[in-house]
Amino acid sequence: MNIQQQLEGFVAFFSDEQKPLCVDSFEKFGLQGKLTHYQKGALLMTQGCPAPNLFFITQGYVRYFNVSVEGKEFTQSFASAPSIAGSTRAMTRNTPALFSIEALDEVICLEFEWRNFFSTMKQQPGFLEAYCQLLENLFIKKEEREYAFAHHSAEQRYLDFLDRNPELSNKVPLKMIASHIGITPIALSRIRRKLGV
C-alpha cells in the first residue's frame, strides 16, 4: 500500500455521505504525511517524551498503556485499523506524553506533525465537524468505561470488551486484557473458565 492509498483511506475515515472530503483538496493544501512501518513491540510514542505526531493507522492494532512509578503496567485502551492514535494533551499543549502506544502486531500508518496537520485541515470544509464527532465518540467511550468500572462486575466488563473488540479477543495477551478491565490475569482466567471461553 503506497502513500496515496494511505491518504485516501485517511480522507475516507473523516468523510461521511453528506459531507465527503476530497483527497485532491488535501494535496492542494500541502498536507504532508509520512508513511511509517512499526514492527510488533515497537513504540509509536513513549511515556514521558514529547509526542507531537498524530497517527492514522491503516494496518494492525496498538495499545495505549502507562507505567507506574513502581513499574506496573496499566493498559488504558486498544485501537485497530482504521483509526487515529496519539496524545491530544501532548500534541496540543506541547507536553510529554502521559502514556505510550505500542504496536501489538505489524502496524502501518501515516504520521502527521500535529500543528501543521491541524492548521492545514482547518482549511478543509467538513473536517472540523468530522473531527468534533470523533472527539465526541472518544469522550463517550471514556464515560462508558468509567461507568462500567463503578457499576459492572469484572465478568460483565470482560463480556463488554469481547463485544466491542471481537477482532482483538484472540490476538491480545490475556494479561493486557486483564489490566484493561481492571483485574488480575488469574481473575480473568477464572472468568474465562466460567464462561467456557
Side-chain angles (χ1 to χ4, degrees):
M1 188 179 287
N2 60 32
I3 195 164
Q4 178 67 21
Q5 292 170 315
Q6 300 276 340
L7 185 56
E8 288 171 0
F10 172 80
V11 172
F13 180 77
F14 276 102
S15 294
D16 63 35
E17 294 177 3
Q18 285 73 39
K19 296 183 179 179
L21 303 178
C22 176
V23 173
D24 291 341
S25 295
F26 281 78
E27 293 177 332
K28 181 173 64 182
F29 288 139
L31 185 68
Q32 296 295 316
K34 177 184 175 186
L35 187 60
T36 313
H37 175 244
Y38 291 92
Q39 297 290 342
K40 181 177 180 178
L43 296 180
L44 283 68
M45 50 178 266
T46 304
Q47 179 179 340
C49 295
N53 292 345
L54 178 75
F55 304 86
F56 175 60
I57 301 170
T58 58
Q59 176 183 309
Y61 53 100
V62 301
R63 74 163 175 145
Y64 290 55
F65 73 98
N66 62 61
V67 181
S68 70
V69 176
E70 297 80 21
K72 184 176 181 181
E73 283 189 7
F74 297 89
T75 298
Q76 297 172 222
S77 62
F78 300 94
S80 56
S83 65
I84 63 169
S87 167
T88 302
R89 178 181 178 275
M91 290 186 298
T92 60
R93 295 185 177 179
N94 197 29
T95 56
L98 298 178
F99 55 85
S100 298
I101 299 180
E102 177 188 14
L104 295 180
D105 69 347
E106 185 177 342
V107 168
I108 296 176
C109 59
L110 276 177
E111 288 186 42
F112 300 93
E113 197 280 324
W114 168 252
R115 294 189 183 279
N116 292 335
F117 164 83
F118 194 68
S119 175
T120 299
M121 294 288 270
K122 284 192 294 188
Q123 303 173 61
Q124 175 62 45
F127 167 73
L128 289 180
E129 184 176 338
Y131 187 68
C132 285
Q133 290 175 351
L134 181 68
L135 289 179
E136 284 175 3
N137 289 335
L138 292 175
F139 286 132
I140 288 169
K141 286 181 181 177
K142 181 177 182 294
E143 286 182 22
E144 291 175 342
R145 177 171 163 78
E146 291 169 352
Y147 179 87
F149 270 100
H151 296 275
H152 293 174
S153 66
E155 180 177 318
Q156 185 58 53
R157 294 199 301 274
Y158 178 59
L159 291 172
D160 290 342
F161 173 83
L162 295 179
D163 184 55
R164 292 175 180 159
N165 305 278
E167 74 284 358
L168 298 181
S169 59
N170 294 320
K171 296 179 180 177
V172 175
L174 293 179
K175 67 178 182 178
M176 293 181 186
I177 297 175
S179 173
H180 176 60
I181 63 174
I183 61 176
T184 66
I186 293 172
L188 179 56
S189 294
R190 290 196 196 104
I191 291 171
R192 286 169 55 84
R193 279 199 302 273
K194 178 183 175 184
L195 296 172
V197 178

